[in-house]
Amino acid sequence: MSEKLNAEVRTVLEQLWHEHCGFAEIAWFFREVDAFFGEEHLKNYHPELIVLGEDYPPELALSVCDHPFLLLGGSLETTHWSDALLPRDADPVSRSACGYLLNDHFSLIEKATVILTLSNDNRRKLAGLLRARGIDVITVDLPPVFDTASSQEAWAAEMLRVADEASERLGKKLSYRRLFRAAEEAARIRKVITSFRMLTLNSPGCMSPALRDLIAESVFYAQDRAEWLEHLSRLTGEIASRQQRYYPQPDDRPWVITVGSPVIFPNEKLPMLLDASGLYLADRIDSLSMMTQKPALKLRRFGKPESLVRQMAQIIPGSEVSGAWTVNRGLLNSMEDRLRILPVDGIVYHVLKGQIEYDFELPEVERMAAEYGVPVFRLETDYQQQDVEQLRIRMEAFAEMLRQRSGERMRIAQ
Amino acid sequence: MTPAEARQRDRFDRKSVAVAEKMLRRMREMTHKPAALEPFLETLSRIFVDREDARKPQDIPTVGTYCVMVPPEMIYAQGAMPVKLCGGSYTAFSIGDDISPRDACPLVKAVMGFEEIDAMPVYQNCSLMAVPVTCDCKKKLAGWLSARRSTAILHVPANRERDEDMERFVGELYAFSRQLEGITGQPLSYENLSAAFRLTANAQYQLSRFIDLRRKHPKIIRGTFAMAAMNAMSYTWAPEWTAQMAALNDELEAIARSGENAVRENQPRILLTGSPVVFPNMKIPLLIEEMGGLLAADETCMGERGLYDPPAVADRTVDGMLRALANRSTRPCTCPTFADNRRRIYRIRQLIKDYRIQGVIYHVLRGCLVYDYEYLSLEEEMGKLGIPIIRVETDYNEEDVEQLRIRVEAFLELIKYGGNQS
């Protein structure tokens, strides 16, 4: 049955394969992702540490384990595997993650400790469900607010506790040196991804947004991160050199950003739908894409892990797009940044069925978008494909409206 | 107020009063209603029909609480009165429906509706709202309320076994106490906290008498009446509720002595568990009992669970008592907000044994995901015990009543004629 997961991944990769202007380096990323989801690899893959949830800082995970597996969900096939275990209204991300962990086809959890951030109800209950099946789970209990001194202190204490527990289980002591190296590596990865993204934004025709995001997020599936960094730098170089040699084709598609629930590979339904409707997905503001765009830490060569984690507590929670907070300020701030710096014509508010915490933010998002005169389109979906045609019709109408607005603005300007 | 708002307000007034009156009438029309139940029903009538504020002995502020995890002792100690504001109104729900996400739970929609319509003194006169973050909807409700009202947000630990988790919740209680002091000007002291402990201990004593009576004589009172009495506690000054409960217990003891039963011998004894039943949403208890069942016990936070566990004070200082409250609010609690909630199953097993339960109705309010998650494990457990269980998903409206009636009736018949001899 795991060949079905592989087939799901292959289908998406095949769709994305031609969506770039012939950059040779891209093939490496395809091979890497395809190999990761390969049947044989999954059967023999037994990570020591699985991190479930984007709210746990990768710096801390990397400081206690060289190759942690960030389990994101995203697969329709694995959601089917967990159907009998979860209630009807559980969100597809949790369903998929549960399917990855509890199935009869491969055993990711054989040797693993799972770090699970309790950022929503699904995760909270999933922790109990996994523990009841004998899985070693360390939960991360996030405070519901992030902007008070006490909540930052609580955040730092919780992160340290989890890192300590994980290091004890994995036999790798959490030290400043390891944390410093991990933070440096995470910063390097973010820096390379940022320059890659900026270049693709300058020439939107060089590759499709879905492919761009897959390449940026393929770091989570890379066997060797140093090699991955090298390949992404090379690809960035290829794009830059192409831009120097050829004047980028103007792209007159309306620019949109997606805000809300995360788009997780291989579920590329939304980016593909936007593309098919003639919209250019300039950026995504969701928990996953923001993982690669977090503000940099001020790193000192010597210190204590506590001091670095306290610094993280001041920076990271506020910049996170997380359902864990009573008010998702990170989502609103990131959205405002994009509205200021990018020529955004519209916002697609993406809500995965069951992710109620994002739906609560919609009025605030609409209010802010109205201030910038940008229309918001709410799109609710799951990992199934049945609603694609309905969504396409709605999306095309939205795209048509954006084109008319932009034409109107041009006419007034002239 | 614009004409449209005035019309909406008028509609709200008429409809919400009509629903509350209807529920009260249905309860009053049930047979074997003890005379001592009337004060509880009057309290509900005063709040939901006459639109009065909660009655207090002095002119002290009220604090709205949105979960049983907010210790009432602290609020009493610092010179305020707690009122539980989890909403059960169909009319407020329909107003909240317009301003909240479609899939939000009806309880939270009702709260948002009450806040929006600004017509209920018991909500509007609160000086502080205390919202423990127990689920996604409450979390977002806390954010929404804090933009409008003075709000205390309490972080409830998702785990409760470790001392650090408890320590964090104690910290939350200290922060809450500071907010309380801000509105009452009264700091927490050993004397006032001890006095507040006595208030709730008296209420708990009467509740334990009531529980004991129901255990020994499961047919002595209808469960709908018990739920009405527990709901009335939300809006009643503790000593007053204690006196009312004492009178009810006295009457029930007399009934027990006379050997009279509230229901027939062969009526199936049902346990109601799951999402809270908040007045006026008495749909499920009324359906069970109108269809010939006996709601013998409940495992819901608006029922006995709200006052069931007493705080165990090991250290007789303010800090020690706060720790006892933090422990009481979380450790024995069977709320599904906790990641590991195996104790809910133990508690339900105990209730099944104590009340000789023959069937379990699992109440899920649409959107109440945490309860839905626990259904599968409970179903498995009930299967082992041979106790039939039915999952009933509902909302705050009357549209599904007939469908539910058929299901509940069939379930009761299954127990009655299915040969379940538990």
Side-chain angles (χ1 to χ4, degrees):
Chain A
M1 289 297 278
S2 64
E3 70 266 25
K4 282 197 175 176
L5 171 61
N6 191 232
E8 185 189 357
V9 169
R10 280 252 163 96
T11 309
V12 177
L13 290 179
E14 276 163 18
Q15 280 171 314
L16 296 177
W17 176 240
H18 299 291
E19 293 183 354
H20 63 98
C21 299
F23 298 109
E25 202 56 45
I26 283 180
W28 184 86
F29 294 94
F30 274 78
R31 277 199 301 277
E32 197 73 355
V33 174
D34 188 36
F36 183 87
F37 288 98
E39 213 180 328
E40 274 311 302
H41 177 256
L42 286 176
K43 271 185 188 154
N44 300 315
Y45 184 43
H46 306 297
E48 275 187 306
L49 182 67
I50 298 175
V51 180
L52 209 163
E54 309 85 84
D55 313 60
Y56 192 69
E59 291 87 345
L60 282 167
L62 287 169
S63 67
V64 293
C65 178
D66 293 334
H67 294 285
F69 171 42
L70 180 67
L71 177 53
L72 299 165
S75 156
L76 173 63
E77 188 53 34
T78 58
T79 61
H80 296 323
W81 297 347
S82 66
D83 269 349
L85 298 170
L86 304 181
R88 183 198 60 205
D89 294 336
D91 75 313
V93 177
S94 307
R95 274 175 181 280
S96 174
C98 182
Y100 271 109
L101 294 177
L102 304 174
N103 65 69
D104 303 327
H105 319 299
F106 49 82
S107 178
L108 292 178
I109 43 156
E110 200 171 290
K111 296 173 186 162
T113 292
V114 178
I115 291 181
L116 205 162
T117 44
L118 307 177
S119 49
N120 58 41
D121 288 344
N122 285 290
R123 296 255 174 86
R124 195 177 301 152
K125 299 315 288 178
L126 207 52
L129 194 105
L130 295 175
R131 277 183 182 150
R133 280 160 178 75
I135 298 171
D136 180 24
V137 179
I138 305 173
T139 52
V140 189
D141 194 2
L142 298 168
V145 288
F146 58 84
D147 47 3
T148 63
S150 62
S151 62
Q152 285 171 5
E153 206 177 293
W155 187 93
E158 185 66 0
M159 294 301 162
L160 274 170
R161 177 193 66 79
V162 172
D164 275 335
E165 268 190 45
S167 72
E168 221 168 85
R169 304 254 174 69
L170 303 173
K172 276 185 185 141
K173 195 172 166 12
L174 174 71
S175 64
Y176 186 79
R177 195 180 149 82
R178 291 184 67 91
L179 186 54
F180 173 82
R181 274 207 217 133
E184 258 192 342
E185 189 186 351
R188 251 194 326 270
I189 290 172
R190 284 184 191 126
K191 197 174 160 193
V192 175
I193 289 178
T194 305
S195 30
F196 165 70
R197 278 181 181 278
M198 292 312 291
L199 266 180
T200 54
L201 272 180
N202 288 339
S203 69
C206 73
M207 68 178 71
S208 73
L211 180 56
R212 173 200 65 202
D213 293 342
L214 170 63
I215 289 170
E217 284 150 22
S218 62
V219 64
F220 304 126
Y221 311 113
Q223 300 297 305
D224 181 342
R225 288 187 302 276
E227 198 184 351
W228 180 89
L229 268 170
E230 202 180 300
H231 282 280
L232 189 59
S233 303
R234 267 193 231 152
L235 176 62
T236 310
E238 262 187 62
I239 299 168
S241 113
R242 187 79 60 89
Q243 276 181 13
Q244 278 165 1
R245 279 184 287 148
Y246 304 103
Y247 183 75
Q249 287 279 319
D251 191 324
D252 55 358
R253 289 180 292 175
W255 279 35
V256 292
I257 55 172
T258 61
V259 179
S261 298
V263 173
I264 302 169
F265 182 81
N267 181 260
E268 297 292 335
K269 185 160 104 176
L270 178 60
M272 286 178 177
L273 209 53
L274 290 169
D275 209 37
S277 308
L279 295 167
Y280 177 68
L281 172 57
D283 206 352
R284 279 173 25 213
I285 298 170
D286 59 47
S287 52
L288 183 58
S289 69
M290 296 310 288
M291 268 190 93
T292 54
Q293 302 178 46
K294 276 180 188 158
L297 297 166
K298 282 180 194 153
L299 294 173
R300 290 199 191 110
R301 194 150 285 277
F302 302 102
K304 285 184 174 173
E306 292 81 3
S307 59
L308 197 49
V309 175
R310 270 200 291 275
Q311 197 196 129
M312 284 180 185
Q314 287 167 0
I315 298 172
I316 293 176
S319 67
E320 260 175 354
V321 173
S322 168
W325 319 121
T326 52
V327 179
N328 200 340
R329 198 58 63 197
L331 179 137
L332 295 169
N333 291 344
S334 308
M335 191 180 112
E336 191 160 28
D337 281 350
R338 304 306 184 280
L339 289 173
R340 275 204 205 110
I341 58 171
L342 295 174
V344 177
D345 296 296
I347 294 170
V348 175
Y349 197 77
H350 177 219
V351 180
L352 281 174
K353 251 168 224 163
Q355 295 204 334
I356 183 91
E357 64 272 24
Y358 289 108
D359 236 354
F360 268 98
E361 308 294 341
L362 182 60
E364 278 299 298
V365 166
E366 283 177 332
R367 189 192 53 72
M368 184 182 282
E371 278 174 23
Y372 286 86
V374 175
V376 178
F377 173 87
R378 177 183 177 278
L379 181 146
E380 184 177 354
T381 184
D382 55 17
Y383 288 174
Q384 303 285 345
Q385 293 291 326
Q386 282 102 323
D387 58 354
V388 164
E389 288 311 312
Q390 288 171 12
L391 292 176
R392 191 195 304 278
I393 292 167
R394 287 183 61 208
M395 194 76 88
E396 279 171 357
F398 183 63
E400 187 60 33
M401 189 263 281
L402 292 183
R403 275 192 288 272
Q404 277 174 9
R405 274 169 61 100
S406 137
E408 192 73 15
R409 273 207 299 269
M410 294 277 278
R411 211 169 43 246
I412 292 166
Q414 282 165 2
Chain B
M1 196 185 284
T2 63
E5 283 170 345
R7 277 199 302 278
Q8 190 188 38
R9 174 83 177 253
D10 183 48
R11 262 201 313 276
F12 173 80
D13 286 343
R14 279 185 286 111
K15 283 190 178 174
S16 64
V17 167
V19 173
E21 274 180 336
K22 184 175 148 192
M23 291 298 176
L24 287 167
R25 193 180 59 242
R26 280 170 76 182
M27 281 195 271
R28 285 187 169 119
E29 281 170 358
M30 290 174 108
T31 57
H32 296 88
K33 180 174 75 68
L37 188 80
E38 199 49 43
F40 299 109
L41 299 183
E42 271 168 19
T43 302
L44 296 173
S45 176
R46 268 203 313 276
I47 301 293
F48 290 96
V49 178
D50 306 334
R51 296 284 171 73
E52 288 178 20
D53 196 359
R55 284 188 185 166
K56 299 166 277 189
Q58 309 105 24
D59 186 24
I60 54 171
T62 49
V63 174
T65 65
Y66 288 90
C67 177
V68 291
M69 286 188 217
V70 182
E73 290 87 346
M74 287 179 68
I75 301 171
Y76 280 122
Q78 294 194 253
M81 176 181 167
V83 283
K84 280 190 215 155
L85 295 184
C86 287
S89 162
Y90 300 169
T91 329
F93 159 77
S94 64
I95 291 164
D97 204 20
D98 292 340
I99 51 171
S100 60
R102 185 199 61 210
D103 294 336
C105 81
L107 189 145
V108 163
K109 282 184 184 173
V111 171
M112 290 171 82
F114 274 130
E115 188 60 33
E116 191 71 7
I117 198 77
D118 197 17
M120 292 284 286
V122 75
Y123 278 79
Q124 299 328 121
N125 296 346
C126 282
S127 308
L128 178 70
M129 300 295 196
V131 192
V133 176
T134 49
C135 64
D136 288 345
C137 284
K138 285 261 175 84
K139 176 168 62 193
K140 293 299 176 184
L141 171 71
W144 185 83
L145 267 179
S146 59
R148 289 158 181 79
R149 306 283 289 262
S150 170
T151 305
I153 300 171
L154 278 80
H155 177 207
V156 178
N159 301 297
R160 50 192 157 171
E161 279 71 29
R162 296 169 312 121
D163 289 342
E164 295 95 308
D165 298 322
M166 208 42 57
E167 203 58 42
R168 201 176 295 164
F169 193 57
V170 171
E172 294 290 302
L173 293 187
Y174 271 109
F176 177 48
S177 168
R178 283 193 291 276
Q179 280 186 277
L180 281 173
E181 194 178 336
I183 59 158
T184 62
Q186 210 167 307
L188 210 55
S189 70
Y190 176 77
E191 287 74 23
N192 60 27
L193 198 50
S194 303
F197 266 62
R198 278 193 292 277
L199 285 189
T200 51
N202 291 339
Q204 273 172 333
Y205 170 69
Q206 289 305 332
L207 180 67
S208 67
R209 263 183 80 197
F210 182 67
I211 290 172
D212 202 37
L213 268 164
R214 288 184 79 196
R215 267 189 206 143
K216 285 181 187 150
H217 313 279
K219 295 182 175 67
I220 201 166
I221 185 170
R222 289 179 183 278
T224 308
F225 296 151
M227 297 216 81
M230 295 310 293
N231 265 274
M233 188 179 66
S234 306
Y235 316 103
T236 316
W237 180 250
E240 198 184 324
W241 187 85
T242 308
Q244 291 168 357
M245 197 41 125
L248 180 62
N249 286 333
D250 293 343
E251 188 180 338
L252 292 180
E253 274 170 1
I255 294 172
R257 278 194 296 274
S258 70
E260 198 185 330
N261 278 337
V263 294
R264 284 194 311 277
E265 194 57 45
N266 66 343
Q267 281 187 271
R269 293 180 296 277
I270 301 297
L271 169 74
L272 180 65
T273 182
S275 304
V277 173
V278 187
F279 186 84
N281 177 39
M282 301 297 280
K283 190 159 65 175
I284 300 294
L286 282 168
L287 266 182
I288 294 170
E289 303 214 305
E290 285 172 354
M291 287 296 100
L294 169 69
L295 178 52
D298 76 273
E299 195 280 319
T300 67
C301 54
M302 281 303 278
E304 288 168 12
R305 194 208 291 169
L307 200 65
Y308 183 78
D309 299 295
V313 183
D315 168 15
R316 295 184 70 81
T317 60
V318 170
D319 184 64
M321 289 197 275
L322 270 191
R323 278 165 201 282
L325 290 177
N327 262 307
R328 189 273 313 272
S329 303
T330 51
R331 285 204 161 133
C333 185
T334 51
C335 175
T337 184
F338 297 104
D340 296 312
N341 199 24
R342 193 75 199 155
R343 67 198 60 181
R344 179 156 173 246
I345 287 175
Y346 303 147
R347 171 96 186 109
I348 288 173
R349 286 174 70 131
Q350 187 66 46
L351 287 169
I352 287 171
K353 197 174 155 209
D354 288 347
Y355 292 89
R356 284 165 274 155
I357 295 297
Q358 294 171 293
V360 177
I361 292 189
Y362 199 93
H363 177 222
V364 179
L365 283 175
R366 208 159 283 159
C368 190
L369 191 64
V370 284
Y371 272 109
D372 222 359
Y373 258 95
E374 294 198 346
Y375 176 70
L376 283 175
S377 54
L378 189 66
E379 191 186 35
E380 203 176 296
E381 201 67 29
M382 293 302 105
K384 285 181 204 160
L385 295 176
I387 298 282
I389 180 168
I390 182 176
R391 177 182 172 279
V392 173
E393 185 173 355
T394 179
D395 218 333
Y396 281 0
N397 58 51
E398 299 266 25
E399 283 152 28
D400 57 357
V401 165
E402 290 312 314
Q403 288 168 13
L404 290 177
R405 193 188 299 279
I406 293 168
R407 291 190 66 206
V408 170
E409 197 173 8
F411 183 65
L412 295 175
E413 277 175 15
L414 168 91
I415 296 168
K416 224 191 250 182
Y417 307 114
N420 185 300
Q421 298 300 318
S422 310

